[in-house]
Amino acid sequence: MAHVSAAERRPQLIKAAIDLMTREGIAAGSTRAIAAELGVAQATVHYTFGTKEDLYRSVMEQITHDLVAQVEEWAPTDAGFEESLAALAASLWRTVHQQPASHQLLNELSMLALRTPSLHEAATSHHREVTAVTAKMIAVAAARTGRELALPSETIARFFLAGFDGLIMQRLSLPDEEAEQTCLQALVSAVVALAGGRLDPVPVPTT
């Protein structure tokens, strides 16, 4: 059998891990099972990634990269500010409909990462990248349409993603098409109002 370099094997193992864990869950994602999914020796996984945590980190990065690439591909380049934010929300929501298993796996890995010191940075990197991409899209839409933002684009992005993450969890656990669409429209409306300085915050006591 021809030798396959670690660089070539790496994306193959990441795909095998994603296929296995989206189908059977994180608990099934042992290095032995992932190796069997690809049809290679278990030692190949450790040679390529070092540890299971390193492989999980790469899986999170790959899923995040793929989802971000899809949203960027669908982002409008000639729409108004409100329409651009609505299109961003629609693009993200499309990935939830088309790839619910990817979002579920990403959420599961994120929760695992928060409890695993060696993976904690992976969760931080994931949220940092998604926030940065969303903030950039908002800033670009504002600049293109001459809209002055009342708050930093990163703050607006964090608000948008906080609501969107909640909608994803509801979709995965308690789906309701009509309610989801209403909530998605309300979220976009609130984001537009926040960006324009038209949302009056209700004071919340600090702890």
Side-chain angles (χ1 to χ4, degrees):
M1 183 178 294
H3 172 71
V4 178
S5 68
E8 293 176 282
R9 191 65 82 190
R10 186 179 182 87
Q12 296 173 353
L13 284 169
I14 292 173
K15 183 180 185 303
I18 291 173
D19 290 345
L20 175 65
M21 291 193 289
T22 53
R23 190 174 68 243
E24 301 182 24
I26 293 180
S30 65
T31 55
R32 183 184 300 277
I34 291 168
E37 180 81 7
L38 186 59
V40 298
Q42 184 180 8
T44 301
V45 179
H46 292 288
Y47 173 75
T48 305
F49 288 96
T51 66
K52 182 173 69 174
E53 287 74 20
D54 291 330
L55 173 56
Y56 280 10
R57 184 180 298 107
S58 296
V59 166
M60 289 185 69
E61 292 172 353
Q62 186 64 53
I63 296 175
T64 302
H65 173 79
D66 291 345
L67 292 174
V68 166
Q70 290 181 55
V71 172
E72 289 181 325
E73 179 182 351
W74 294 329
T77 58
D78 57 356
F81 184 71
E82 290 82 359
E83 291 78 10
S84 294
L85 292 191
L88 170 60
S91 298
L92 281 168
W93 198 241
R94 189 179 299 128
T95 68
V96 177
H97 274 264
Q98 294 180 352
Q99 300 160 258
S102 293
H103 282 279
Q104 182 172 341
L105 177 57
L106 195 52
N107 278 323
E108 291 172 352
L109 287 170
S110 294
M111 292 300 101
L112 174 66
L114 290 176
R115 289 188 175 274
T116 308
S118 59
L119 276 174
H120 195 277
E121 178 57 30
T124 301
S125 295
H126 159 68
H127 288 289
R128 184 184 294 117
E129 179 179 356
V130 172
T131 300
V133 170
T134 305
K136 179 181 178 182
M137 289 183 175
I138 292 171
V140 168
R144 188 184 68 244
T145 59
R147 182 68 59 93
E148 183 176 351
L149 297 177
L151 293 169
S153 59
E154 181 177 341
T155 301
I156 299 168
R158 289 172 70 96
F159 175 72
F160 171 74
L161 291 171
F164 199 86
D165 286 346
L167 285 176
I168 292 175
M169 289 304 298
Q170 290 186 13
R171 173 69 185 178
L172 293 174
S173 58
L174 190 65
D176 183 327
E177 293 278 357
E178 184 176 351
E180 290 159 8
Q181 191 61 31
T182 298
C183 291
L184 190 61
Q185 292 173 347
L187 174 61
V188 173
S189 299
V191 172
V192 169
L194 182 68
R198 301 190 305 276
L199 188 67
D200 295 326
V202 176
V204 178
T206 58
T207 57

